[in-house]
Amino acid sequence: MMSSLVSVCVLLGVGASAPDAPKWQADYGKALAETRSSDQRPLIVVIDNPSEDGQAVPAALLEDGESLSAYELCHVDASTKYGKAVAEVFGAKTFPYVAIIDKTGTQVLNRHAGQMNSETWSNKLAKYEDGKAPVKVTAMKPVTSTPASATPTGSYPSYGNYPIYSNPVSNCPNCQRGY
């Protein structure tokens, strides 16, 4: 009797500590609207075709409540008429297809077409969980000026289509004569 009471308590404790299974939205429009209205969580969209071999996301990846808790979730079946329309919007031709959309619901941060292993899945989820686009740093070349002696005779340096006349006193004989 006592052992069965302990067993029940252990089972209840294990059930209470297990993370909740993630709740996937089947309607992309609703999921996007939730993302835009909350402005707190990015949206992950999974489009797959479970009826075809190799075109479905492994169930273990979709059930990881801990990794997916930072996201609004949308899972669309590409074998349906609605799923085909959503796949067309994303330009998805290879399944499974995963898109991560920023927390404002306006920019796709990452796309992945084809099978994905659990390590790649985890890395992508961790990288984009803040819902912000990575900042791109562009290195610019330093501006250099061309010395006047390097300018070919009879031509002037230019900026685009506009010539730059930087010499206040011209060496042109006609200019010196006042013509």
Side-chain angles (χ1 to χ4, degrees):
M1 177 71 171
M2 187 61 127
S3 65
S4 49
L5 181 60
V6 170
S7 299
V8 169
C9 290
V10 168
L11 286 175
L12 288 175
V14 169
S17 66
D20 291 336
K23 293 175 179 60
W24 289 87
Q25 175 73 259
D27 187 327
Y28 169 66
K30 288 181 183 177
L32 185 61
E34 286 178 23
T35 298
R36 288 180 174 166
S37 67
S38 72
D39 198 31
Q40 293 178 3
R41 296 172 10 153
L43 171 63
I44 186 165
V45 180
V46 175
I47 306 169
D48 64 1
N49 191 347
S51 62
E52 295 289 326
D53 286 339
Q55 292 189 8
V57 172
L61 298 181
L62 300 177
E63 295 169 359
D64 184 5
E66 221 172 289
S67 298
L68 295 169
S69 63
Y71 291 89
E72 293 291 336
L73 306 171
C74 180
H75 187 193
V76 179
D77 183 351
S79 64
T80 65
K81 183 178 179 182
Y82 176 75
K84 289 176 185 173
V86 173
E88 189 175 316
V89 166
F90 281 95
K93 299 191 185 333
T94 303
F95 301 105
Y97 181 89
V98 178
I100 299 175
I101 301 172
D102 73 334
K103 65 183 182 178
T104 63
T106 57
Q107 181 180 6
V108 176
L109 301 176
N110 186 270
R111 300 171 191 260
H112 183 92
Q115 285 296 332
M116 188 183 319
N117 62 32
S118 61
E119 184 179 346
T120 304
W121 176 261
S122 297
N123 290 341
K124 286 182 184 286
L125 292 180
K127 182 174 181 179
Y128 297 104
E129 72 183 352
D130 65 352
K132 296 179 183 175
V135 177
K136 294 182 181 180
V137 177
T138 305
M140 296 179 61
K141 293 181 180 179
V143 178
T144 59
S145 61
T146 306
S149 61
T151 305
T153 309
S155 68
Y156 295 97
S158 65
Y159 180 76
N161 293 330
Y162 305 101
I164 299 173
Y165 302 106
S166 60
N167 189 353
V169 179
S170 176
N171 292 328
C172 171
N174 288 333
C175 293
Q176 289 180 357
R177 291 188 193 126
Y179 293 111

